Amino acid sequence: MQGKAVVVFSGGQDSTTCLFWAMQNFDEVIAVTFDYGQRHKLEIECAKEIAGELGVEHHILDMALLNQLAPNALTRDDIPVQAGEDGALPNTFVEGRNMLFLTFAGVLAKVKGAKHIVTGVCETDFSGYPDCRDVFIKSLNVTMNLAMNYDFVIHTPLMWIDKAETWALADQLGRLDYVREKTLTCYNGIKGDGCGECPACILRRNGLEKYLTQKTEN
């Protein structure tokens, strides 16, 4: 693919893998990170550091209103991270986050003359988040095209793969060690392999162990 792409970038495993994917597939890549009052400011610093190391143009947009509207475990120190029970969403779900992030990424993309938007949402390991579903992405893509009269294409490289396959993709891109060591996925704000105990770390570790086992066997 040719052209320019904007990557929704948090500095985590998924978005960093998507950033490397975009760098391989597009002529020019711009990263955009959203400051929505997340619990760990290190997440933003991590994104800045990675973008700087890779020489990628990087924008940080203020989305503090999201914190005000949708307080949860990712935006409040006094709310412990909890898994959903009886089919309920985990309390790490931020209402409307991906809808807003992608919409603002679209505004930036149009201003920058980019037709492509890349996001790391995934329906395989998505914890039930409704705004990670493929049907939502396709719907928003149409809405954004109509709202801005612009031919956006939203790319979701991770949509149909699990965490082990996400690690495999990072490895195929020659960036497995970089993603493992430099990214921040942990809900407790610890880079790399993280705390090892929160839901994000468990999902990440299980995926890595599965991939490394498969790689050894093959």
Side-chain angles (χ1 to χ4, degrees):
M1 287 176 281
Q2 295 181 331
K4 187 184 297 187
V6 170
V7 179
V8 177
F9 184 54
S10 70
Q13 175 193 357
D14 293 345
S15 67
T16 303
T17 302
C18 285
L19 182 63
F20 285 124
W21 178 88
M23 291 173 68
Q24 186 176 85
N25 284 281
F26 296 99
D27 300 319
E28 184 178 345
V29 174
I30 299 167
V32 59
T33 300
F34 298 95
D35 182 352
Y36 59 98
Q38 51 266 64
R39 185 195 295 237
H40 302 293
K41 291 298 182 183
L42 182 60
E43 180 179 308
I44 297 172
E45 294 305 313
C46 184
K48 287 172 60 177
E49 180 180 308
I50 293 171
E53 287 181 358
L54 299 178
V56 172
E57 180 181 337
H58 186 215
H59 298 265
I60 300 172
L61 302 186
D62 181 4
M63 298 287 288
L65 181 60
L66 189 57
N67 185 307
Q68 179 182 336
L69 289 172
N72 74 8
L74 292 190
T75 61
R76 296 289 191 274
D77 290 332
D78 57 346
I79 302 178
V81 173
Q82 295 178 338
E85 297 181 0
D86 299 323
L89 288 171
N91 69 350
T92 52
F93 175 61
V94 182
E95 296 286 355
R97 180 172 59 172
N98 286 335
M99 177 176 66
L100 292 173
F101 285 4
L102 287 166
T103 300
F104 278 87
V107 174
L108 176 65
K110 186 173 183 182
V111 169
K112 292 288 184 176
K115 291 288 183 79
H116 302 275
I117 300 170
V118 183
T119 177
V121 298
C122 169
E123 196 164 315
T124 306
D125 285 329
F126 76 141
S127 300
Y129 293 2
D131 60 358
C132 288
R133 294 176 297 171
D134 185 60
V135 65
F136 160 71
I137 296 296
K138 285 184 168 58
S139 172
L140 185 64
N141 200 155
V142 172
T143 298
M144 287 169 54
N145 290 5
L146 291 171
M148 287 183 258
N149 194 29
Y150 199 69
D151 294 328
F152 293 110
V153 179
I154 302 178
H155 300 268
T156 54
L158 312 183
M159 180 58 75
W160 304 114
I161 64 177
D162 62 17
K163 272 292 181 285
E165 292 167 313
T166 300
W167 284 112
L169 176 57
D171 203 7
Q172 291 163 17
L173 294 166
R175 297 294 190 163
L176 187 144
D177 289 340
Y178 189 99
V179 172
R180 182 172 183 180
E181 296 167 7
K182 298 277 191 176
T183 61
L184 173 59
T185 304
C186 176
Y187 287 154
N188 290 313
I190 302 172
K191 287 175 68 174
D193 291 334
C195 71
E197 298 178 355
C198 73
C201 281
I202 292 171
L203 185 63
R204 174 175 165 138
R205 182 184 68 238
N206 289 346
L208 179 61
E209 290 175 352
K210 179 180 177 182
Y211 170 61
L212 293 177
T213 298
Q214 292 171 340
K215 186 178 180 180
T216 302
E217 292 174 347
N218 294 332

